[in-house]
Each structure stands twice: as structure tokens, then as C-alpha cells.
Amino acid sequence: MITRSVTIEEIDDLYLMWNDHINASALYRRALREEMDVRGIDPDELRDLLDRAREQGYTLEEIAEETNRFDDLQSLVEEPRSCSPAGEASND
């Protein structure tokens, strides 16, 4: 998992201090899932596409640079990735 910084208000911080049993990371993930739902993104499909892109050799950074929405990621995994480095001549 990747750690990200999240800005919260003092009231949020106080509430979490009072209720230290609450998993703030889980709340954050739940809010992101709700946002995905609003935008019609299935988290399981997104995870599958991400896994497929990584299996094709893309790093998370490359995926983020080459895509900016679900449809872009879908196109990325459906198009075969060039295997030969740039400038390398083929032996035809």
C-alpha cells in the first residue's frame, strides 16, 4: 500500500482522537469507493486493469503518466506494448 497525506480539519482530528478505534484509512478508502461509484467506476474492474497493465510491464508511474481516466487505462492494456527499445533495428 502507498501512504498519502490527507488534510483534515481540527474537528475531524478531535473526533478521531476521541474515537481512536476508528480506522481512518478505511474511512478514506470507503470515501474513494463512493466517489468511484458516483462516477460509474467498478473498483474490481479498475484493480483488474491495473494488474493487467503491471503484468505488461508498466510501472504505476508510467500508468499515471499515460492515462488520466478509466477508459485510457482500458485502452492501454488492450494495445500491445512495444517490446523493443527505441532505435533497435529488427532482424528481418
Side-chain angles (χ1 to χ4, degrees), residues 15-87:
Y15 187 78
L16 289 171
M17 286 181 198
W18 288 343
N19 297 281
D20 61 357
H21 64 282
I22 294 175
N23 181 337
S25 294
L27 290 174
Y28 179 74
R29 288 190 304 274
R30 185 181 325 148
L32 286 174
R33 296 307 184 274
E34 289 172 5
E35 185 66 21
M36 287 180 199
D37 187 50
V38 166
R39 304 204 183 288
I41 302 296
D42 181 334
D44 294 327
E45 284 184 66
L46 181 58
R47 182 177 291 110
D48 179 55
L49 289 173
L50 177 59
D51 289 345
R52 288 173 53 195
R54 306 249 2 225
E55 287 169 3
Q56 292 177 13
Y58 289 100
T59 65
L60 186 60
E61 291 76 22
E62 290 172 325
I63 295 166
E65 287 173 8
E66 296 186 31
T67 65
N68 66 2
R69 59 194 180 110
F70 184 86
D71 291 340
D72 293 344
L73 179 57
Q74 195 166 27
S75 294
L76 183 74
V77 299
E78 290 173 356
E79 296 172 5
R81 185 173 189 180
S82 174
C83 295
S84 60

